[in-house]
Amino acid sequence: MSAAAWLLVSVLALGAAPASEEAADGYCRWLEGVADAESSLMMAPSLFATGGLVNSPLGDPSDALGVKPRLMLGLQYDFVRLYQGMTLRRRAAAECRGFRASQRLEALVGGQEQIGLAEALAARAEVLAEALPKAEAMLSRLRVELTEARSATLDELNATELRVDGLRALFAQTAREQAALAAAEPAEAADLTPLLEARRGADLESQRLAANLRESSAWGFHVRAGYDRVFGLESGAPFFATLNLSYNLGGLLQPEANARAEQGRRVWARGEDADVETRLAELRAVHAAERARLGQTRMLLADLEARLRELDSLSSEKARTFREYLWLELVKVKAEHVWLEAHTAAIARFLGEAEEAL
């Protein structure tokens, strides 16, 4: 595989890049292993052997055309290929850094459903844990009143049980979600700036090294040394050493073509940031919807609290029952309110950092 072909494969492979850290390690090992295999041939010297027949200027006229056998053995070292091999390894390392940054960025932005979830669940759990003992005591009192004092009705008990069961179910659901979140792989810190900079920097370095590889192909610079023997001729020192320098004139056209390639690559790379922007737009939509709901729950809480204050001055049995219903509804709304409050605050922080990074 040529250096140019390997570079093409390494770029195209990014489109099917794996997502897990283990797979990312394997991808980088493959990328760097291929680069090492290719560059090992470029950076090592070459052995050569040449044999044939040559005309000898000192040959006897009776000897047909003075033809003599010739043997050349030696070592060749190409300094341009040495440079290409080192550059190829550096490009593989840059590709790997860019790939890892892309994977972490994808995991961070793609895991947007977990942003602020821990804080939101903790806030909801705190409200429910504080309210449930009072709700349970309320339910126990109604059962006693129904069976002993007969001051409560079965409908009142059933209505209260339904509301308390709803709080129990919500508390159990919150606990399950917290346990699942704790068991999941911890998310990265919500800081897009270093990841975006790492990806952009690695891509720019990779493209610069690729341009250097293309431009170096126009040059040839190698040395050859070894044994050179023409059999039948006397030679005091049958050794030789040569230095060869060449330049392909097509290299004069490369700078303009490389500039076009770099410009096209920059346009292409902006598409990756556009993917991030699309994910962030979805997150902004979620944030806007939850902020609207947060405003609704705030108004509902204010209304319920006002009604409860009005009922505090009433001492009748019906007023007490209605007040307990309102309080249970208030707990449910408050649990949702604090969840939305914590979640929207976390999303806002994340979006602020993301906007700054972009």
Side-chain angles (χ1 to χ4, degrees):
M1 182 187 295
S2 67
W6 179 84
L7 294 174
L8 178 61
V9 169
S10 68
V11 171
L12 293 179
L14 290 175
S20 70
E21 187 64 27
E22 182 180 359
D25 289 339
Y27 176 80
C28 285
R29 285 198 301 271
W30 169 78
L31 195 64
E32 293 172 351
V34 171
D36 289 345
E38 291 285 333
S39 61
S40 63
L41 298 179
M42 298 176 175
M43 300 171 68
S46 301
L47 295 172
F48 68 89
T50 303
L53 299 174
V54 297
N55 289 327
S56 172
L58 301 178
D60 193 302
S62 62
D63 203 358
L65 301 178
V67 174
K68 300 292 185 182
R70 183 179 185 181
L71 176 64
M72 298 178 67
L73 300 171
L75 196 68
Q76 175 176 305
Y77 199 81
D78 194 325
F79 291 99
V80 172
R81 285 174 62 81
L82 170 65
Y83 168 79
Q84 289 176 335
M86 295 171 62
T87 303
L88 197 60
R89 292 184 177 183
R90 290 168 57 197
R91 185 169 192 258
E95 290 279 357
C96 180
R97 289 196 304 274
F99 175 79
R100 289 186 183 278
S102 292
Q103 291 299 304
R104 290 195 293 269
L105 190 63
E106 175 68 20
L108 180 59
V109 179
Q112 58 192 28
E113 67 278 359
Q114 292 189 2
I115 295 173
L117 192 57
E119 298 93 326
L121 290 172
R124 182 205 284 167
E126 183 179 358
V127 169
L128 294 173
E130 182 181 352
L132 274 174
K134 182 177 178 180
E136 296 287 356
M138 186 185 302
L139 188 60
S140 298
R141 192 194 73 247
L142 282 174
R143 290 195 182 102
V144 171
E145 290 179 353
L146 178 64
T147 57
E148 296 180 2
R150 301 288 180 178
S151 58
T153 66
L154 184 60
D155 288 340
E156 291 173 352
L157 178 62
N158 290 338
T160 303
E161 282 183 336
L162 285 174
R163 288 171 171 80
V164 175
D165 282 343
L167 295 182
R168 291 171 183 154
L170 185 58
F171 186 67
Q173 176 188 339
T174 302
R176 287 194 300 270
E177 291 177 357
Q178 286 180 309
L181 188 63
E185 184 177 348
E188 292 191 57
D191 192 355
L192 295 178
T193 303
L195 294 179
L196 284 168
E197 290 179 352
R199 187 176 69 180
R200 291 165 181 165
D203 185 72
L204 287 176
E205 182 181 0
S206 174
Q207 298 315 305
R208 178 180 59 81
L209 293 172
N212 292 345
L213 279 171
R214 291 190 292 270
E215 292 177 357
S216 68
S217 298
W219 292 91
F221 181 54
H222 64 268
V223 295
R224 303 182 82 191
Y227 176 81
D228 185 5
R229 175 70 183 273
V230 178
F231 295 94
L233 292 179
E234 294 297 329
S235 176
F239 303 105
F240 76 96
T242 61
L243 179 65
N244 298 276
L245 177 65
S246 64
Y247 181 73
N248 188 315
L249 295 177
L252 299 174
L253 304 177
Q254 284 189 313
E256 190 273 336
N258 281 332
R260 289 202 317 272
E262 181 179 355
Q263 182 182 12
R265 177 65 186 186
R266 287 179 183 273
V267 173
W268 181 20
R270 282 199 295 270
E272 295 181 328
D273 287 350
D275 292 339
V276 175
E277 181 59 38
T278 299
R279 298 289 186 88
L280 293 178
E282 296 172 357
L283 191 58
R284 282 191 287 269
V286 172
H287 184 250
E290 290 194 351
R291 278 185 60 84
R293 178 56 184 160
L294 182 63
Q296 295 170 357
T297 58
R298 185 178 293 112
M299 293 176 59
L300 186 55
L301 276 176
D303 180 64
L304 290 172
E305 289 170 351
R307 290 174 180 270
L308 284 172
R309 285 193 297 271
E310 291 175 1
L311 292 172
D312 284 341
S313 59
L314 303 178
S315 58
S316 66
E317 192 66 27
K318 287 185 177 295
R320 189 199 69 176
T321 301
F322 187 54
R323 189 183 189 284
E324 290 176 348
Y325 289 168
L326 283 180
W327 181 82
L328 290 171
E329 288 298 322
L330 183 141
V331 171
K332 184 177 179 181
V333 174
K334 187 176 181 181
E336 181 182 6
H337 180 77
V338 296
W339 191 96
L340 289 167
E341 197 171 43
H343 198 226
T344 53
I347 293 177
R349 290 194 301 271
F350 179 85
L351 287 175
E353 295 173 358
E355 296 294 345
E356 182 180 353
L358 290 171

Coordinates of all heavy atoms in Angstrom, one line a residue, residues 143-180:
R143 N -57.4 6.0 58.3 CA -57.8 4.6 58.5 C -58.4 4.4 59.9 O -59.4 3.7 60.1 CB -56.6 3.6 58.2 CG -56.2 3.5 56.8 CD -55.3 2.3 56.6 NE -54.8 2.2 55.2 CZ -53.6 2.5 54.8 NH1 -52.7 3.0 55.7 NH2 -53.3 2.3 53.6
V144 N -57.7 5.0 60.9 CA -58.2 4.9 62.3 C -59.5 5.6 62.4 O -60.4 5.1 63.0 CB -57.1 5.5 63.2 CG1 -57.7 5.6 64.6 CG2 -55.8 4.7 63.2
E145 N -59.6 6.8 61.8 CA -60.9 7.5 61.9 C -62.0 6.8 61.2 O -63.2 6.8 61.7 CB -60.7 8.9 61.3 CG -59.8 9.8 62.1 CD -59.7 11.2 61.4 OE1 -60.1 11.3 60.3 OE2 -59.0 12.0 62.0
L146 N -61.7 6.0 60.1 CA -62.7 5.3 59.4 C -63.2 4.1 60.2 O -64.4 3.8 60.3 CB -62.2 4.9 58.1 CG -63.2 4.0 57.2 CD1 -64.4 4.9 56.8 CD2 -62.5 3.5 55.9
T147 N -62.3 3.4 60.9 CA -62.6 2.2 61.6 C -63.1 2.4 63.0 O -63.9 1.6 63.5 CB -61.4 1.2 61.6 OG1 -60.3 1.9 62.2 CG2 -61.0 0.8 60.2
E148 N -62.6 3.5 63.6 CA -63.0 3.7 65.0 C -63.9 4.9 65.2 O -65.1 4.7 65.7 CB -61.7 3.9 65.8 CG -60.8 2.7 65.8 CD -59.5 2.9 66.6 OE1 -59.4 4.0 67.2 OE2 -58.7 2.0 66.7
A149 N -63.5 6.0 64.9 CA -64.3 7.2 65.1 C -65.4 7.4 64.1 O -66.4 8.2 64.3 CB -63.4 8.4 65.2
R150 N -65.3 6.8 62.9 CA -66.2 6.9 61.9 C -66.4 8.4 61.4 O -67.4 8.8 60.8 CB -67.6 6.4 62.3 CG -67.7 5.0 62.7 CD -67.5 4.1 61.5 NE -67.6 2.7 61.9 CZ -67.5 1.7 61.1 NH1 -67.4 1.9 59.8 NH2 -67.5 0.4 61.5
S151 N -65.3 9.2 61.6 CA -65.4 10.6 61.2 C -64.9 10.8 59.8 O -65.0 11.8 59.2 CB -64.5 11.5 62.1 OG -63.2 11.0 62.2
A152 N -64.3 9.7 59.2 CA -63.8 9.8 57.8 C -64.6 8.8 57.0 O -65.1 7.8 57.5 CB -62.3 9.4 57.7
T153 N -64.8 9.1 55.7 CA -65.5 8.3 54.8 C -64.6 7.4 54.0 O -63.4 7.7 53.8 CB -66.4 9.1 53.8 OG1 -65.5 9.9 53.0 CG2 -67.3 10.1 54.6
L154 N -65.2 6.4 53.4 CA -64.4 5.5 52.5 C -63.9 6.2 51.3 O -62.8 6.0 50.8 CB -65.2 4.3 52.1 CG -64.5 3.2 51.3 CD1 -63.3 2.6 52.1 CD2 -65.5 2.1 51.0
D155 N -64.7 7.1 50.8 CA -64.3 7.9 49.6 C -63.0 8.7 49.9 O -62.1 8.8 49.1 CB -65.4 8.7 49.1 CG -66.5 7.9 48.4 OD1 -66.2 6.8 48.0 OD2 -67.6 8.4 48.3
E156 N -63.1 9.3 51.1 CA -61.9 10.2 51.5 C -60.7 9.3 51.6 O -59.6 9.7 51.2 CB -62.2 10.9 52.8 CG -63.3 12.0 52.7 CD -63.7 12.5 54.1 OE1 -63.2 11.9 55.1 OE2 -64.5 13.5 54.1
L157 N -60.8 8.2 52.2 CA -59.7 7.3 52.4 C -59.1 6.8 51.0 O -57.9 6.8 50.8 CB -60.1 6.0 53.2 CG -59.0 5.0 53.4 CD1 -57.8 5.6 54.2 CD2 -59.5 3.8 54.2
N158 N -60.0 6.4 50.1 CA -59.6 6.0 48.8 C -58.9 7.1 48.0 O -57.9 6.9 47.4 CB -60.8 5.5 48.0 CG -61.3 4.1 48.5 OD1 -60.6 3.4 49.2 ND2 -62.6 3.8 48.3
A159 N -59.4 8.3 48.1 CA -58.8 9.4 47.4 C -57.4 9.7 48.0 O -56.5 10.0 47.2 CB -59.7 10.6 47.6
T160 N -57.3 9.7 49.3 CA -56.0 9.9 49.9 C -55.0 8.8 49.5 O -53.8 9.1 49.3 CB -56.1 10.0 51.4 OG1 -57.1 11.1 51.7 CG2 -54.8 10.3 52.1
E161 N -55.5 7.5 49.6 CA -54.6 6.4 49.2 C -54.1 6.6 47.8 O -52.9 6.3 47.5 CB -55.4 5.1 49.4 CG -55.5 4.6 50.8 CD -56.2 3.3 50.9 OE1 -57.0 2.9 50.0 OE2 -55.9 2.6 51.9
L162 N -54.9 7.0 46.9 CA -54.5 7.2 45.5 C -53.4 8.2 45.4 O -52.4 8.0 44.7 CB -55.7 7.6 44.6 CG -56.7 6.5 44.3 CD1 -57.9 7.0 43.5 CD2 -56.0 5.4 43.4
R163 N -53.6 9.3 46.1 CA -52.6 10.4 46.1 C -51.3 9.9 46.7 O -50.2 10.2 46.2 CB -53.1 11.6 46.8 CG -54.2 12.3 45.9 CD -54.9 13.4 46.7 NE -55.8 14.2 45.9 CZ -57.0 13.9 45.5 NH1 -57.5 12.7 45.9 NH2 -57.7 14.7 44.8
V164 N -51.4 9.3 47.9 CA -50.1 8.8 48.5 C -49.4 7.7 47.7 O -48.2 7.7 47.6 CB -50.5 8.3 49.9 CG1 -49.2 7.6 50.6 CG2 -51.0 9.4 50.8
D165 N -50.2 6.8 47.1 CA -49.6 5.8 46.2 C -48.9 6.5 45.0 O -47.8 6.0 44.6 CB -50.7 4.9 45.7 CG -51.1 3.8 46.7 OD1 -50.4 3.6 47.7 OD2 -52.2 3.2 46.5
G166 N -49.4 7.5 44.5 CA -48.7 8.3 43.5 C -47.4 8.8 43.9 O -46.4 8.7 43.2
L167 N -47.3 9.3 45.2 CA -46.1 9.8 45.7 C -45.1 8.7 45.9 O -43.9 8.8 45.7 CB -46.3 10.6 47.0 CG -47.1 11.9 46.9 CD1 -47.2 12.5 48.3 CD2 -46.5 12.8 45.9
R168 N -45.6 7.5 46.4 CA -44.7 6.4 46.6 C -44.1 5.9 45.3 O -42.9 5.6 45.2 CB -45.5 5.2 47.2 CG -45.9 5.4 48.7 CD -46.9 4.3 49.1 NE -47.4 4.4 50.4 CZ -48.6 3.9 50.8 NH1 -49.3 3.2 49.9 NH2 -49.0 4.0 52.0
A169 N -45.0 5.8 44.3 CA -44.5 5.4 43.0 C -43.5 6.3 42.4 O -42.5 5.9 41.8 CB -45.7 5.2 42.0
L170 N -43.7 7.6 42.6 CA -42.8 8.6 42.0 C -41.4 8.5 42.8 O -40.4 8.6 42.2 CB -43.3 10.0 42.2 CG -42.5 11.1 41.6 CD1 -42.3 10.9 40.1 CD2 -43.2 12.5 41.8
F171 N -41.5 8.3 44.1 CA -40.3 8.1 44.9 C -39.5 6.9 44.5 O -38.3 6.9 44.3 CB -40.6 8.1 46.4 CG -39.4 8.1 47.3 CD1 -38.6 9.2 47.4 CD2 -39.1 6.9 48.0 CE1 -37.5 9.2 48.2 CE2 -38.0 6.9 48.8 CZ -37.2 8.1 48.9
A172 N -40.3 5.8 44.2 CA -39.6 4.5 43.8 C -39.0 4.7 42.4 O -37.9 4.2 42.1 CB -40.6 3.4 43.8
Q173 N -39.7 5.3 41.5 CA -39.2 5.6 40.2 C -37.9 6.4 40.2 O -36.9 6.2 39.5 CB -40.2 6.3 39.3 CG -39.7 6.7 37.9 CD -40.7 7.5 37.2 OE1 -41.9 7.6 37.5 NE2 -40.3 8.3 36.2
T174 N -37.9 7.4 41.1 CA -36.7 8.3 41.3 C -35.5 7.5 41.8 O -34.4 7.6 41.3 CB -37.0 9.4 42.2 OG1 -38.2 10.2 41.8 CG2 -35.9 10.4 42.4
A175 N -35.8 6.6 42.7 CA -34.7 5.7 43.2 C -34.2 4.8 42.2 O -32.9 4.6 42.1 CB -35.2 4.9 44.4
R176 N -35.1 4.3 41.3 CA -34.6 3.4 40.2 C -33.7 4.2 39.2 O -32.7 3.7 38.8 CB -35.8 2.7 39.6 CG -36.5 1.7 40.4 CD -37.4 0.8 39.5 NE -38.5 1.7 38.9 CZ -39.6 1.9 39.5 NH1 -39.9 1.4 40.6 NH2 -40.5 2.6 38.8
E177 N -34.2 5.3 38.9 CA -33.4 6.2 38.0 C -32.1 6.6 38.5 O -31.1 6.6 37.8 CB -34.3 7.4 37.6 CG -35.5 7.1 36.7 CD -36.3 8.3 36.5 OE1 -36.0 9.4 37.0 OE2 -37.4 8.2 35.7
Q178 N -32.0 6.9 39.8 CA -30.8 7.2 40.4 C -29.8 6.0 40.4 O -28.6 6.2 40.2 CB -31.0 7.7 41.9 CG -31.6 9.1 41.9 CD -31.8 9.6 43.4 OE1 -32.4 8.8 44.2 NE2 -31.3 10.7 43.7
A179 N -30.4 4.8 40.7 CA -29.5 3.6 40.7 C -29.0 3.3 39.3 O -27.8 3.0 39.1 CB -30.3 2.4 41.2
A180 N -29.9 3.5 38.3 CA -29.4 3.2 36.9 C -28.4 4.2 36.5 O -27.4 3.9 35.8 CB -30.6 3.3 36.0

